[in-house]
Amino acid sequence: MLRIALRKKPLKLTALMTAVALAVAPMAAVAQQNKGPPVLRDTETEQLLREYTRPILRAAGMEKHNIQMVIINQGVFNAFVADGRRIFVNYGAIMQSETPNQIIGVMAHETGHLAGGHLAKMREQMAQAQTQMIIAMLLGAGAMVAGAQGGGGNSGLANAGAAMFSAPGEIIRRNLLSYVRQQEENADKAGVKFLNTTGQSAKGMYETFKRFTDESLFAARGSDPYVQSHPMPAQRVAALEELARSSPYWDKKDDPALQLRHDMVRAKISAFMERQETVYRRYPLSNNSLPARYAHAISTYLHGDLRSALTQIDALIQQQPNNPYFHEVRGQALLEGGKPQEAIAPLRKAVALSNNSPLIEMLLGQALVATGNNAYTDEAIAILRAAVARETEAPIGYIQLAMAYGRKGDYAQADLASAQAAYLRGDSKTARDLASRAKTRFAIGTPGWVKADDIVSAKPMPGQKSN
């Protein structure tokens, strides 16, 4: 189930490089970025990324830090860390990584930033830079005043004061960027160390950075190394190559089963996110591999040919009957094709095979509600409540829960669930209005009343609609 969702908290792009960019960016650009890009949710993709990062986090001593993987709806290659507990990765980074080792290498690098506490250290550096800027501006202003009071004989002092307004900003920016370059180098070293500890090759990490370095060499030619956010490309890649090649695991290949799962996820993302003609150029009909057939089946259902899509999905299930995501896609195709009753059985199977994935549970709950059969209402509520308890940032679960409660005539719980969905979408005004109404329906002090009161009292997040 590949879904686009908006997070409750705007994605403040506080990766090391972005932090520096925002420090010198105009206010309008910062406000625009604070809106945050949408997030992609898919159990299959998220599970694979968790498996990629788990041994890396263990090697970094961060296994118990509850680091989350967040997939961003951006087709360009990028990954970054934020707030010390999340690694963000564009779906484009997954699509452009031909092997698991390549994306694992990127995750190892980002873990290096987390393990090094680079975000907190960068905030300290930026705070110091702001202090330096204030002092420099005060000194510059003082020189200008002294020059003006001294008359024409002190015009040089006035000019020097004016220059002090512009020079410190450039010096401080260079210092910040130099600091960031050092952190990038440290993250490279830490990433290779984590890969070695887990018995994995750093070749994919090197290949990825070299590919993008080669693409940027022309643009960087003749540029000032001190105004570049990353180390000079040739220097950084050479250092990384030397470090990576020294590993005894340099030539170690990815497990074929893992490579197949990686290819399946890439095919799924392609089918959901790319134009149909692009999907079929990437996976022509002559390609009879499992990933290609997966992409064909999804693309077929997305473009309205449900009967043909089901035939293709059933063939996939026949080949891998215990693959939960084939059953999930079948249920999703039926649900979105207007057949919620028929979607229930495959979604039940997907839930069971996925060890009760909350996102798939939400899809099952949606199918139960969509049938319009009141006999399913209590089951839908039980499933959805369990799902939102474990997956707290998916509005769709609360939306379906509100519908189920409304069908049962429990309007207090329906209003509360609707308020929670609105809050997660970033619509704080609607959330407060619905929560206020829910408070009038609950007895004072009950758990539902308390939850509604929390939403009413919550301050809007930056970027949320507050009126």
Side-chain angles (χ1 to χ4, degrees):
M1 178 185 67
L2 201 66
R3 290 183 179 272
I4 297 177
L6 293 175
R7 299 184 67 87
K8 174 180 66 177
K9 298 181 180 179
L11 300 181
K12 297 180 180 179
L13 306 186
T14 51
L16 297 174
M17 289 324 309
T18 310
V20 175
L22 296 185
V24 295
M27 207 62 190
V30 176
Q32 184 178 11
Q33 289 193 8
N34 276 346
K35 293 178 181 178
V39 171
L40 293 179
R41 301 304 311 274
D42 177 63
T43 301
E44 182 176 14
T45 307
E46 291 175 1
Q47 178 62 28
L48 186 63
L49 289 177
R50 280 194 293 268
E51 291 183 29
Y52 285 167
T53 55
R54 190 175 295 122
I56 299 296
L57 292 170
R58 187 182 303 120
M62 303 186 71
E63 184 181 18
K64 298 182 180 180
H65 288 212
N66 193 29
I67 304 298
Q68 299 178 25
M69 300 299 305
V70 181
I71 307 167
I72 302 295
N73 182 26
Q74 297 286 341
V76 297
F77 194 109
N78 194 24
F80 55 93
V81 295
D83 66 27
R85 66 181 185 86
R86 287 181 285 192
I87 298 177
F88 294 84
V89 55
N90 288 3
Y91 80 77
I94 304 170
M95 284 292 300
Q96 296 178 51
S97 296
E98 296 179 354
T99 66
N101 187 244
Q102 290 177 355
I103 193 69
I104 289 171
V106 173
M107 296 298 98
H109 171 89
E110 299 305 328
T111 301
H113 282 308
L114 287 175
H118 291 174
L119 289 171
K121 293 175 182 177
M122 174 54 68
R123 282 192 289 269
E124 293 175 4
Q125 288 289 318
M126 292 179 67
Q128 292 176 13
Q130 290 171 355
T131 301
Q132 293 168 17
M133 178 68 76
I134 292 170
I135 293 172
M137 290 179 67
L138 290 174
L139 291 174
M144 291 179 68
V145 171
Q149 290 178 342
N154 283 330
S155 61
L157 184 60
N159 290 337
M164 289 178 70
F165 274 108
S166 58
E170 178 62 21
I171 294 171
I172 292 169
R173 187 167 71 93
R174 283 173 176 257
N175 288 339
L176 278 174
L177 294 177
S178 176
Y179 181 77
V180 169
R181 287 196 302 272
Q182 184 60 55
Q183 289 192 332
E184 291 293 332
E185 291 174 342
N186 291 342
D188 286 346
K189 294 175 183 177
V192 172
K193 176 184 175 182
F194 301 150
L195 291 167
N196 287 340
T197 301
T198 57
Q200 299 182 86
S201 173
K203 182 184 288 187
M205 181 177 170
Y206 162 72
E207 290 172 343
T208 297
F209 286 128
K210 185 177 188 306
R211 182 169 82 246
F212 289 104
T213 295
D214 291 344
E215 293 174 359
S216 64
L217 275 179
F218 180 80
R221 188 173 298 150
S223 61
D224 184 345
Y226 293 99
V227 299
Q228 293 191 25
S229 60
H230 288 66
M232 286 294 284
Q235 295 173 350
R236 181 181 178 190
V237 171
L240 178 58
E241 180 180 15
E242 181 179 358
L243 192 62
R245 284 186 178 275
S246 67
S247 167
Y249 307 107
W250 169 260
D251 289 320
K252 187 175 181 179
K253 304 293 184 183
D254 289 307
D255 181 84
L258 189 64
Q259 180 68 58
L260 176 59
R261 290 179 61 197
H262 184 80
D263 291 341
M264 294 293 284
V265 163
R266 294 175 71 212
K268 186 177 196 175
I269 293 174
S270 173
F272 274 105
M273 304 306 299
E274 295 184 311
R275 298 170 62 90
Q276 189 174 32
E277 54 267 31
T278 303
V279 175
Y280 279 91
R281 279 199 303 270
R282 192 184 296 274
Y283 301 99
L285 288 173
S286 58
N287 186 342
N288 198 40
S289 67
L290 197 63
R293 291 162 54 200
Y294 197 24
H296 297 160
I298 295 171
S299 184
T300 300
Y301 110 69
L302 288 175
H303 291 86
D305 191 348
L306 181 59
R307 179 176 296 181
S308 177
L310 292 175
T311 299
Q312 295 176 53
I313 295 169
D314 287 343
L316 295 173
I317 292 174
Q318 186 174 7
Q319 185 167 345
Q320 289 190 353
N322 293 323
N323 187 323
Y325 311 114
F326 291 166
H327 295 279
E328 179 192 19
V329 167
R330 193 179 202 282
Q332 185 174 355
L334 286 164
L335 178 59
E336 295 179 7
K339 299 179 181 295
Q341 181 68 49
E342 295 178 39
I344 293 174
L347 289 175
R348 287 193 197 281
K349 185 76 170 177
V351 167
L353 290 172
S354 67
N355 194 27
N356 298 322
S357 159
L359 292 180
I360 302 178
E361 284 183 328
M362 290 178 190
L363 197 61
L364 172 57
Q366 183 177 353
L368 293 168
V369 171
T371 63
N373 187 343
N374 290 334
Y376 290 128
T377 300
D378 287 338
E379 181 186 3
I381 289 173
I383 290 172
L384 291 165
R385 283 179 64 90
V388 298
R390 288 178 291 124
E391 174 50 69
T392 60
E393 295 190 11
I396 184 65
Y398 288 103
I399 292 171
Q400 298 303 318
L401 193 56
M403 294 175 65
Y405 276 125
R407 180 161 293 148
K408 193 174 181 179
D410 189 342
Y411 300 116
Q413 292 287 0
D415 281 345
L416 177 58
S418 296
Q420 290 168 310
Y423 184 73
L424 289 174
R425 292 195 306 269
D427 186 352
S428 60
K429 181 182 184 303
T430 300
R432 286 199 305 271
D433 290 345
L434 289 166
S436 295
R437 191 169 70 184
K439 285 180 64 177
T440 67
R441 300 181 188 275
F442 285 111
I444 295 176
T446 60
W449 186 94
V450 172
K451 290 179 183 178
D453 187 61
D454 287 342
I455 295 174
V456 172
S457 304
K459 294 181 179 180
M461 295 291 181
Q464 284 187 323
K465 292 189 290 183
S466 59
N467 50 49

